[in-house]
Every structure is written in C-alpha cells, then in structure tokens.
Amino acid sequence: MRSSVPEWTGGLPTLIVEDSPDAADVAQLEEQVAAAAIAAAGLGNEQEFAIFVRDDDGCVVAGISAIVWGGYCELQAMWVKESLRSRGLAFDLIAGAEAEARRRGCALVVLHAYDLLTRGLYERLGYETVGVIENCPTGSAARWYRKPL
C-alpha cells in the first residue's frame, strides 16, 4: 500500500494504457475509491474478511472474500477448485460469509456475478436479482444481487 497520493504539479497529464498493470497500482486505485466513499458517507472504515478451505498442505482449495461497511456486506470473490465442485462447498462458503456479516452487524449482502459461472446459484440461496446487463460477456449476462439478512 502506498501511503499517499502526490499532488499533480505538471501540465496536462499523459494517459498511459498498461496491458499488465502492477497489482500495487490497481490496489491503490481501489483503496482511493474506498477511502473517498468512506469519507463521503462518514460511516467508518470498511473491514475485510475471507473464509478459506485448505488441503492437508495448507493450499487454498476454496474460499470467499468480502468487505463489510456501512451496515452491508459485499461478497467479492468466491472460488472452489474444480475437483471439489458440486459437493456443497459454495453453499457452505456463502452461508459462512452471511453468518460473519450478521455477526458484524450487517443487514444486507450484495454481490456481482456472471451467469456463465454461477448458473442460478445465488437464486437458490435466496438472493434477488436487482440488475442485469445482457450479453456481458458475449452470450451471457452480468447480474447484481442482494439478500436481506
């Protein structure tokens, strides 16, 4: 994490497209957006959490990550190793994240997912679609979900 953002002192900035941006630079963008939202809302800092499933060697074979802020939880990423899919791990991970969100005082869970990856998973768990962009990616759809806790 970089500690500060320097003030712009030059003329017009030069825009540079980077095909493989540095992860720290992308993280800085995300941190600055989060900091601006937190400051604007005045609701305190966001808190991260993650739940992992590890194999005997300690390697992550499944997990879910989330942020909590302002009374809601945003599920950000969930993955289950292909050989472990269709065994209920996704359900367990989501239930665990919802329980942790409740423990942290959240009244709502939100997330963004792609139909081509989730195939109705969130609907089966009681999530409501609140927004859809068709043909995103081509031939599928992107959805935004919510679930009151």
Side-chain angles (χ1 to χ4, degrees):
M1 179 172 120
R2 300 205 174 124
S3 59
S4 66
V5 177
E7 294 297 319
W8 185 259
T9 58
L12 292 176
T14 301
L15 303 178
I16 302 166
V17 175
E18 297 182 17
D19 290 335
S20 298
D22 185 280
D25 292 339
V26 173
Q28 180 183 356
L29 293 176
E30 293 169 355
E31 289 167 8
Q32 292 300 320
V33 169
I38 288 166
L43 297 173
N45 291 328
E46 69 181 18
Q47 304 165 9
E48 281 186 288
F49 73 86
I51 301 169
F52 297 106
V53 177
R54 296 180 185 272
D55 66 13
D56 292 339
D57 296 323
C59 295
V60 173
V61 295
I64 191 167
S65 64
I67 60 164
V68 169
W69 174 67
Y72 84 99
C73 175
E74 181 177 341
L75 303 181
Q76 296 191 311
M78 182 176 65
W79 170 76
V80 176
K81 185 176 179 178
E82 194 165 347
S83 64
L84 298 175
R85 292 179 188 164
S86 299
R87 297 180 185 191
L89 274 175
F91 291 121
D92 292 344
L93 289 167
I94 293 166
E98 290 172 357
E100 182 62 19
R102 274 188 211 91
R103 189 187 74 74
R104 293 177 184 226
C106 295
L108 179 70
V109 176
V110 300
L111 68 112
H112 166 260
Y114 297 102
D115 285 358
L116 60 92
L117 295 175
T118 60
R119 294 177 188 85
L121 169 68
Y122 295 102
E123 290 89 342
R124 290 190 303 273
L125 291 168
Y127 284 79
E128 168 192 15
T129 298
V130 294
V132 180
I133 300 176
E134 297 294 343
N135 215 31
C136 177
T138 301
S140 189
R143 292 183 187 272
W144 283 260
Y145 293 98
R146 65 171 279 166
K147 181 179 180 181
L149 294 178

